Amino acid sequence: MPSNAILEQKKQTVSDLAELLKNSPAGVLVNYSGITVEDDTKLRAALRGAGVKYMVMKNTLTGRACDEVGLGEMKQYLSGMTAIAISENDPVAPAKVMKQYAEKIESFEILAGYLDGAVVDKNTVISLADIPSKEVLIGKILGSLQSPLYGLAYVLQAKIDKDGGEAAEA
Protein backbone atom coordinates (compact mmCIF):
# COMPACT_ATOMS: atom_id res chain seq x y z
CA MET A 1 0.00 0.00 0.00
CA PRO A 2 1.39 3.41 -0.95
CA SER A 3 2.39 5.79 1.78
CA ASN A 4 0.33 8.82 2.68
CA ALA A 5 2.99 11.11 1.20
CA ILE A 6 2.71 9.40 -2.20
CA LEU A 7 -1.09 9.53 -2.08
CA GLU A 8 -1.02 13.24 -1.24
CA GLN A 9 1.42 13.85 -4.09
CA LYS A 10 -0.88 12.04 -6.53
CA LYS A 11 -3.91 13.98 -5.25
CA GLN A 12 -2.00 17.23 -5.79
CA THR A 13 -1.02 16.15 -9.32
CA VAL A 14 -4.66 15.38 -10.16
CA SER A 15 -5.78 18.68 -8.63
CA ASP A 16 -3.19 20.65 -10.62
CA LEU A 17 -4.16 18.96 -13.88
CA ALA A 18 -7.87 19.49 -13.16
CA GLU A 19 -7.21 23.20 -12.60
CA LEU A 20 -5.36 23.44 -15.93
CA LEU A 21 -8.18 21.63 -17.75
CA LYS A 22 -10.84 23.82 -16.15
CA ASN A 23 -9.11 27.08 -17.05
CA SER A 24 -8.15 26.22 -20.63
CA PRO A 25 -10.30 26.66 -23.73
CA ALA A 26 -9.05 23.52 -25.49
CA GLY A 27 -6.70 20.56 -25.39
CA VAL A 28 -5.69 17.51 -27.38
CA LEU A 29 -5.04 13.94 -26.22
CA VAL A 30 -2.49 11.96 -28.25
CA ASN A 31 -0.85 8.56 -28.38
CA TYR A 32 2.85 9.39 -28.54
CA SER A 33 4.25 5.88 -28.99
CA GLY A 34 7.06 5.62 -31.50
CA ILE A 35 8.19 9.24 -31.30
CA THR A 36 11.95 9.71 -31.19
CA VAL A 37 13.66 11.86 -28.58
CA GLU A 38 14.62 14.33 -31.31
CA ASP A 39 11.03 14.65 -32.57
CA ASP A 40 9.70 14.86 -29.01
CA THR A 41 12.09 17.71 -28.26
CA LYS A 42 10.97 19.57 -31.39
CA LEU A 43 7.31 18.93 -30.52
CA ARG A 44 7.71 20.28 -27.00
CA ALA A 45 9.51 23.39 -28.30
CA ALA A 46 6.75 24.04 -30.86
CA LEU A 47 4.08 23.63 -28.19
CA ARG A 48 5.88 25.98 -25.77
CA GLY A 49 6.17 28.55 -28.55
CA ALA A 50 2.41 28.31 -29.12
CA GLY A 51 1.63 28.72 -25.40
CA VAL A 52 0.60 25.09 -24.91
CA LYS A 53 1.47 22.86 -21.95
CA TYR A 54 2.33 19.26 -22.84
CA MET A 55 2.24 16.55 -20.20
CA VAL A 56 2.80 12.85 -20.05
CA MET A 57 0.99 11.47 -17.03
CA LYS A 58 -0.44 8.16 -15.86
CA ASN A 59 -3.77 7.47 -17.54
CA THR A 60 -5.50 6.90 -14.19
CA LEU A 61 -4.42 10.33 -12.93
CA THR A 62 -5.47 12.01 -16.17
CA GLY A 63 -8.80 10.20 -15.98
CA ARG A 64 -9.43 11.40 -12.44
CA ALA A 65 -8.64 14.98 -13.41
CA CYS A 66 -11.02 14.70 -16.36
CA ASP A 67 -13.75 13.42 -14.05
CA GLU A 68 -13.24 16.39 -11.73
CA VAL A 69 -13.89 18.91 -14.49
CA GLY A 70 -16.71 17.11 -16.31
CA LEU A 71 -14.65 15.62 -19.14
CA GLY A 72 -15.25 12.01 -18.08
CA GLU A 73 -15.98 10.96 -21.68
CA MET A 74 -12.29 11.43 -22.43
CA LYS A 75 -11.42 8.43 -20.22
CA GLN A 76 -12.37 6.05 -23.04
CA TYR A 77 -9.31 7.29 -24.98
CA LEU A 78 -6.88 6.85 -22.07
CA SER A 79 -5.07 3.64 -22.92
CA GLY A 80 -1.51 3.05 -23.97
CA MET A 81 1.07 5.82 -24.12
CA THR A 82 -0.95 9.03 -23.92
CA ALA A 83 -0.04 12.65 -23.46
CA ILE A 84 -2.17 15.76 -23.23
CA ALA A 85 -1.56 19.19 -24.73
CA ILE A 86 -3.44 21.97 -22.95
CA SER A 87 -3.83 25.44 -24.41
CA GLU A 88 -3.50 28.39 -22.08
CA ASN A 89 -5.52 30.78 -24.26
CA ASP A 90 -5.64 29.82 -27.98
CA PRO A 91 -8.19 27.05 -28.63
CA VAL A 92 -6.67 26.19 -32.02
CA ALA A 93 -2.96 26.04 -31.09
CA PRO A 94 -2.74 22.51 -29.62
CA ALA A 95 -4.71 21.02 -32.51
CA LYS A 96 -2.51 22.74 -35.12
CA VAL A 97 0.79 21.61 -33.61
CA MET A 98 -0.38 18.07 -32.88
CA LYS A 99 -1.77 17.67 -36.40
CA GLN A 100 1.59 18.69 -37.89
CA TYR A 101 3.36 15.98 -35.89
CA ALA A 102 0.67 13.37 -36.52
CA GLU A 103 1.22 13.91 -40.25
CA LYS A 104 5.02 13.63 -39.92
CA ILE A 105 5.21 10.63 -37.56
CA GLU A 106 3.17 7.59 -38.53
CA SER A 107 2.82 6.12 -35.02
CA PHE A 108 1.94 9.49 -33.40
CA GLU A 109 -1.86 9.67 -33.29
CA ILE A 110 -4.44 12.23 -32.23
CA LEU A 111 -7.00 10.43 -30.07
CA ALA A 112 -9.48 13.12 -28.99
CA GLY A 113 -9.67 16.53 -27.41
CA TYR A 114 -11.88 18.99 -25.65
CA LEU A 115 -13.19 22.38 -26.63
CA ASP A 116 -14.98 24.77 -24.27
CA GLY A 117 -15.70 22.03 -21.74
CA ALA A 118 -16.96 19.39 -24.19
CA VAL A 119 -15.11 16.28 -25.36
CA VAL A 120 -14.58 16.16 -29.14
CA ASP A 121 -13.44 13.31 -31.35
CA LYS A 122 -10.34 13.01 -33.52
CA ASN A 123 -12.06 14.36 -36.65
CA THR A 124 -13.22 17.49 -34.83
CA VAL A 125 -9.68 18.11 -33.56
CA ILE A 126 -8.33 17.79 -37.11
CA SER A 127 -11.04 20.14 -38.41
CA LEU A 128 -10.12 22.62 -35.69
CA ALA A 129 -6.48 22.43 -36.78
CA ASP A 130 -7.47 23.35 -40.34
CA ILE A 131 -9.00 26.68 -39.27
CA PRO A 132 -6.83 29.58 -40.44
CA SER A 133 -5.01 31.58 -37.80
CA LYS A 134 -6.62 34.61 -36.18
CA GLU A 135 -4.35 36.95 -38.15
CA VAL A 136 -5.35 35.37 -41.47
CA LEU A 137 -9.06 35.60 -40.61
CA ILE A 138 -8.71 39.27 -39.61
CA GLY A 139 -6.87 39.95 -42.87
CA LYS A 140 -9.67 38.32 -44.88
CA ILE A 141 -12.31 40.39 -43.08
CA LEU A 142 -10.39 43.61 -43.63
CA GLY A 143 -9.87 42.71 -47.28
CA SER A 144 -13.58 42.10 -47.77
CA LEU A 145 -14.37 45.44 -46.11
CA GLN A 146 -11.87 47.32 -48.26
CA SER A 147 -12.99 45.83 -51.56
CA PRO A 148 -16.29 47.79 -51.91
CA LEU A 149 -14.55 51.01 -50.85
CA TYR A 150 -11.88 50.57 -53.52
CA GLY A 151 -14.61 49.89 -56.07
CA LEU A 152 -16.39 53.12 -55.12
CA ALA A 153 -13.13 55.07 -55.30
CA TYR A 154 -12.41 53.71 -58.80
CA VAL A 155 -15.91 54.62 -60.03
CA LEU A 156 -15.62 58.15 -58.62
CA GLN A 157 -12.15 58.56 -60.14
CA ALA A 158 -13.43 57.36 -63.51
CA LYS A 159 -16.25 59.90 -63.37
CA ILE A 160 -13.79 62.68 -62.53
CA ASP A 161 -11.47 61.60 -65.34
CA LYS A 162 -14.39 61.46 -67.81
CA ASP A 163 -15.56 64.95 -66.90
CA GLY A 164 -12.03 66.27 -67.25
CA GLY A 165 -11.77 67.14 -63.59
CA GLU A 166 -14.40 69.86 -63.83
CA ALA A 167 -17.21 70.07 -61.34
CA ALA A 168 -20.61 69.41 -62.84
CA GLU A 169 -22.79 72.47 -63.11
CA ALA A 170 -26.30 72.23 -61.84
Side-chain angles (χ1 to χ4, degrees):
M1 184 168 169
S3 71
N4 284 339
I6 292 173
L7 287 175
E8 286 303 315
Q9 183 181 13
K10 287 182 179 182
K11 285 181 184 177
Q12 186 61 45
T13 301
V14 169
S15 176
D16 292 345
L17 179 56
E19 190 67 25
L20 280 172
L21 292 170
K22 185 171 69 173
N23 294 326
S24 72
V28 177
L29 187 68
V30 296
N31 180 331
Y32 67 92
S33 64
I35 191 169
T36 64
V37 172
E38 181 182 349
D39 286 334
D40 187 57
T41 303
K42 289 177 184 175
L43 170 66
R44 289 174 186 267
L47 289 167
R48 268 192 308 275
V52 178
K53 291 185 185 270
Y54 180 73
M55 290 173 276
V56 174
M57 193 175 292
K58 285 187 174 186
N59 290 333
T60 54
L61 299 178
T62 304
R64 287 185 181 148
C66 288
D67 279 338
E68 277 189 31
V69 295
L71 298 172
E73 290 178 53
M74 194 140 34
K75 287 171 47 175
Q76 66 184 318
Y77 302 104
L78 293 171
S79 64
M81 298 173 65
T82 60
I84 190 164
I86 301 171
S87 173
E88 294 176 345
N89 51 26
D90 183 0
V92 180
K96 281 191 177 298
V97 176
M98 291 303 190
K99 183 181 177 218
Q100 288 174 353
Y101 279 84
E103 290 172 348
K104 288 181 192 176
I105 304 164
E106 192 173 313
S107 61
F108 190 86
E109 179 186 8
I110 294 173
L111 300 173
Y114 67 92
L115 180 64
D116 292 329
V119 176
V120 295
D121 65 355
K122 174 182 180 175
N123 294 330
T124 305
V125 172
I126 292 170
S127 297
L128 187 63
D130 292 335
I131 294 174
S133 70
K134 182 178 178 181
E135 292 77 19
V136 170
L137 292 174
I138 290 171
K140 285 182 178 184
I141 289 172
L142 291 176
S144 66
L145 291 174
Q146 285 180 328
S147 181
L149 295 175
Y150 282 130
L152 177 63
Y154 289 132
V155 168
L156 293 174
Q157 186 62 47
K159 177 70 174 154
I160 291 170
D161 292 343
K162 180 181 174 192
D163 292 342
E166 298 175 8
E169 294 183 27

